[in-house]
Amino acid sequence: RRLVKAARESDGALAGCLAESGDADADHLGLLYAAQTGARLAAAEPHRALALAHALAASARSLPASGLVSSHRLEAEASLLASQALLNIGRLEDARAAARDARTAFAASGDEPFDRALCAYFEGTAAAFQGEFSFAERELKRAARAFAAFEQETWTARAEAALGTLYSQRGNPARAIPFLENALERLDGAEEAHACTAIEINLARALAHVGAFERSRAVFAQALAGARRHDLGNLVFAMRLGLAELDLLRGETARALAAFDALTAEADERQLEEDRVLARLYAAECLGRLSRTDEMVARLKELRSLVTVTTLAGVPAWNELASRLDRGDVR
C-alpha cells in the first residue's frame, strides 16, 4: 500500500519507498503485491501506474536467483500493470507489447495456464481497441475458459465484460449489454471498484447506442458516483466522454460539441493519446451535423499530426464520421 501511495505522489516518493524496502521474502512479496494491486492506480492516474510498473521491473532485475519471488515473476506482473496503464493512456500497441513481455516472463517462471490466461486477457483487451476483433475475441474467450476452469469468478466476469465491450466496439451493442450486465452482477463493487466502474461506463455507452437514453444516463450517474467515491480520475474522464457521446446521440449537438472541445483540452493535458483523437473526432462529427463543414474538415486536418487514417480502423467514431465524408476529405 505504501508503494502504490508513493507512486501516486511522485517519482521521488516512489524511489524513496523502494529504497526503504528490505531483502527479505516479505519485502519481495510486497513488490509483487504492489504490481498486482496497482490496477486501481491505472484507472485513476495511468501515467503514475506506468511509473510504478517501470520501477518494479527495475527492482526485479536485482532480485536473487533463489527466493520466494523470482525475478521473472515480478517482471511479468510489472509488465501486466504496464499493459493496463498503457491501455488507459491510449498507447495500444505498447499495451499489447507489454502483455507479450509478461507472457515471456511468465514462461520463464513456470508457464502456468492461469498466467497465460492473464496475458491473453490483457492483450485481447488492447487488440479490441485496435479493431483486431477476431484475434481479440479468440484471446478473450480463451482467457474466460481458463479463468472458469480455475473457478476464478472475478476474472471470469472481467473477461466476459471485455467480450461485451468488444461486441459494442464491433457495432453490436445489443449483444454487448447482457455480457456487461452479467459481469456487473458477479463482481464485488467494493473490491473491484475500478473494474465495475469501467464496465458501467461501457454498459451505459451500449445502452445509449440502442436508444435506451434514460437508462444510459442512470448508469452513467452510477459510474460517476463510484469513480468519485474511489478517486478514479481517469474513469471520471471516460464517463464524461461517454456522457458527451450520449448528448450527441440524443441530438443535443451543440451541447455535445462544447463538451468534446473541453474534453479535447483535458485529454491533451492528461496525455491520453487515444482520447485526444476520440474527442477531436466526435467534435468533428458534431460540426458536420451542425453543417459547419469547413470547420469539420479543418479539425480532421488537425488530426493528421496525431494519427493516420489507417490507425482509426477500429474506432467507432471514425467509422461513423468517414461514412459522411467524400473520398477527398478522408485523404
Side-chain angles (χ1 to χ4, degrees):
R1 286 195 296 269
R2 287 198 304 271
L3 277 169
V4 175
K5 182 179 178 181
R8 187 165 191 165
E9 183 179 337
S10 68
D11 288 342
L14 175 58
C17 192
L18 282 169
E20 295 171 1
S21 181
D23 290 325
D25 281 340
D27 298 303
H28 298 160
L29 281 171
L31 300 178
L32 186 69
Y33 294 153
Q36 293 175 340
T37 61
R40 187 170 295 194
L41 181 59
E45 297 186 32
H47 287 282
R48 299 310 311 153
L50 185 59
L52 174 59
H54 289 329
L56 293 172
S59 296
R61 292 191 284 272
S62 65
L63 289 183
S66 60
L68 189 61
V69 178
S70 72
S71 59
H72 292 302
R73 165 70 51 178
L74 180 54
E75 181 184 353
E77 296 287 0
S79 292
L80 289 185
L81 176 58
S83 183
Q84 296 170 76
L86 289 162
L87 176 65
N88 289 339
I89 292 167
R91 291 167 54 184
L92 303 181
E93 189 54 44
D94 289 341
R96 291 185 68 178
R100 291 193 291 267
D101 288 343
R103 195 188 305 271
T104 300
F106 276 133
S109 182
D111 199 23
E112 297 293 332
F114 186 79
D115 295 333
R116 292 199 300 271
L118 286 173
C119 296
Y121 168 77
F122 285 112
E123 184 174 6
T125 300
F129 279 90
Q130 290 183 305
E132 295 188 20
F133 298 125
S134 295
F135 173 86
E137 184 174 16
R138 184 170 62 251
E139 291 296 288
L140 290 171
K141 285 182 175 179
R142 178 180 296 141
R145 288 194 298 270
F147 293 149
F150 281 96
E151 298 183 351
Q152 291 287 326
E153 182 75 5
T154 293
W155 280 107
T156 304
R158 290 179 66 174
E160 291 182 356
L163 280 167
T165 301
L166 179 152
Y167 297 140
S168 190
Q169 291 167 321
R170 199 160 59 183
N172 193 348
R175 186 181 182 190
I177 289 169
F179 279 85
L180 297 167
E181 290 176 329
N182 185 52
L184 280 175
E185 291 176 0
R186 295 161 63 186
L187 287 175
D188 185 319
E191 293 296 321
E192 296 287 325
H194 60 289
C196 287
T197 302
I199 294 168
E200 286 168 346
I201 292 170
N202 290 326
L203 173 59
R205 292 187 70 251
L207 289 166
H209 279 276
V210 298
F213 297 136
E214 294 309 314
R215 189 175 169 216
S216 172
R217 187 170 292 278
V219 176
F220 271 128
Q222 184 176 330
L224 177 60
R228 287 179 171 167
R229 184 184 313 118
H230 297 281
D231 198 16
L232 303 173
N234 196 65
L235 291 181
V236 171
F237 179 91
M239 186 279 309
R240 289 170 51 215
L241 190 65
L243 279 173
E245 184 183 6
L246 174 61
D247 284 338
L248 177 60
L249 291 169
R250 296 181 68 171
E252 298 177 11
T253 311
R255 178 175 170 177
L257 175 60
F260 286 128
D261 282 342
L263 288 162
T264 294
E266 188 171 337
D268 289 345
E269 182 180 352
R270 287 175 168 268
Q271 301 178 56
L272 302 176
E273 298 185 17
E274 186 180 21
D275 289 332
R276 294 177 69 196
V277 174
L278 283 176
R280 283 173 166 85
L281 280 172
Y282 278 122
E285 172 71 8
C286 291
L287 289 166
R289 294 192 182 196
L290 292 168
S291 299
R292 293 161 59 179
T293 308
D294 290 343
E295 293 175 76
M296 177 190 72
V297 173
R299 296 289 185 98
L300 293 175
K301 289 180 178 178
E302 178 189 348
L303 277 168
R304 289 177 179 170
S305 64
L306 302 176
V307 70
T308 63
V309 168
T310 55
T311 64
L312 295 172
V315 179
W318 169 251
N319 294 335
E320 182 176 353
L321 182 58
S323 68
R324 301 170 182 268
L325 297 174
D326 293 332
R327 186 178 300 273
D329 292 330
V330 173
R331 289 199 299 269

